[in-house]
Amino acid sequence: MRFTAERRLDGGVLEREFALGEIPGFLWTPASAPAPVPLILLGHPPLGLPKMYPRLVARARHAAADGFAAATIELPGSGDRPRWAAIEQARVDLRRAVTAGEPVSDEIVDALVLPLVDRAVPEWQAALDALLSLPEIGGPVGYSGGVISVGIRLAVVEPRIVAAGLFAGSFVPRAMFEEARRVTIPLHVLLQWDDEGNDRQAALDLFDAFGSTEKSLHANMGGHTGVPQFAGEGVAGFFARHLR
């Protein structure tokens, strides 16, 4: 891990940009919490870090206020990373189906999500290795956000992640339902009831499939980008219980 830039945000939060090989990312650490501090990995959709930055830094500020570090990395094929032909084609197929008012087929969902999960999860694990080697970062570790299939895979294969706050706002391949049955860590799942890009019943079925004995579903009215502010407070309370 190589730090490439840093600055102090309002409130003293230290923001550092880093590069892990070709993978860019951000690390935010609180100003006054005694080190080492717990860590929350901030998941996000594959829209690119520059576009997602305002939402990510807002979430990182909330984490820092609770005494947690937060970090994120750019997803494969997104932002300034090299284009990924297979994913680009899957996105074209998705847009074509949505524009035509056709159902999004399992084949499109698999092509869009499964390769991303296969490539992104090892990168998240490599980032976690590097982050936990820093003296100011300890444990435990939480995962927060989307893509929900990435969160599912990480919850299954990464024992250092002890709790996850997931956003049910993306397509989920049928194969991920079987992986969801193997998830056992505590879960806090957000669902927008009127999400125009999400199959509500599939989201409910996925929640039912999770094998965790402690899991809660928090549904709010509104579309994909209409998550109410108080929903974030619920996520913060969830991580406060499990990371302290």
Side-chain angles (χ1 to χ4, degrees), residues 21 37 117 183 185 189 194:
V37 296
V117 172
V183 174
I185 62 174
V189 182
D194 306 302

Side-chain angles (χ1 to χ4, degrees), residues 14-87:
L14 178 61
E15 175 185 274
R16 284 175 282 179
E17 297 180 52
F18 64 82
L20 188 65
E22 67 169 13
I23 307 168
F26 285 91
L27 171 63
W28 296 272
T29 47
S32 57
V37 296
L39 173 66
I40 299 176
L41 303 177
L42 300 181
H44 54 90
L47 301 176
L49 284 181
K51 184 172 183 177
M52 291 301 303
Y53 175 82
R55 282 185 260 175
L56 289 166
V57 73
R59 292 162 62 191
R61 287 176 183 273
H62 284 298
D66 291 331
F68 305 140
T72 194
I73 58 174
E74 185 65 272
L75 289 170
S78 297
D80 294 329
R81 296 189 63 181
R83 297 298 93 186
W84 189 358
I87 294 295

Side-chain angles (χ1 to χ4, degrees), residues 87-169:
I87 294 295
E88 291 294 313
Q89 183 59 53
R91 289 171 180 165
V92 169
D93 294 340
L94 173 64
R95 286 193 293 268
R96 183 183 299 119
V98 171
T99 301
E102 300 172 352
V104 179
S105 68
D106 289 345
E107 290 76 12
I108 293 176
V109 173
D110 288 353
L112 185 69
V113 178
L114 292 178
L116 179 64
V117 172
D118 289 343
R119 190 176 294 187
V121 167
E123 293 182 352
W124 270 114
Q125 291 182 292
L128 187 54
D129 290 340
L131 291 163
L132 289 178
S133 72
L134 300 173
E136 62 268 37
I137 307 296
V141 180
Y143 178 87
S144 176
V147 174
I148 194 169
S149 292
V150 172
I152 292 169
R153 176 71 58 81
L154 277 169
V156 171
V157 304
E158 182 46 73
R160 292 172 292 186
I161 294 177
V162 302
L166 302 176
F167 179 50

Side-chain angles (χ1 to χ4, degrees), residues 150-234:
V150 172
I152 292 169
R153 176 71 58 81
L154 277 169
V156 171
V157 304
E158 182 46 73
R160 292 172 292 186
I161 294 177
V162 302
L166 302 176
F167 179 50
S170 54
F171 294 106
V172 181
R174 293 186 184 276
M176 297 306 302
F177 283 73
E178 288 305 313
E179 292 197 38
R181 301 183 203 285
R182 297 163 53 198
V183 174
T184 59
I185 62 174
L187 298 176
H188 182 107
V189 182
L190 293 178
L191 170 65
Q192 286 301 101
W193 201 248
D194 306 302
D195 192 331
E196 59 280 4
N198 187 37
D199 183 328
R200 182 196 304 163
Q201 189 57 54
L204 296 175
D205 292 343
L206 179 64
F207 179 79
D208 189 52
F210 284 124
S212 303
T213 56
E214 180 185 337
K215 58 181 180 179
S216 57
L217 179 68
H218 302 261
N220 294 286
M221 304 303 292
H224 186 80
T225 60
V227 181
Q229 184 174 354
F230 62 77
E233 297 169 1

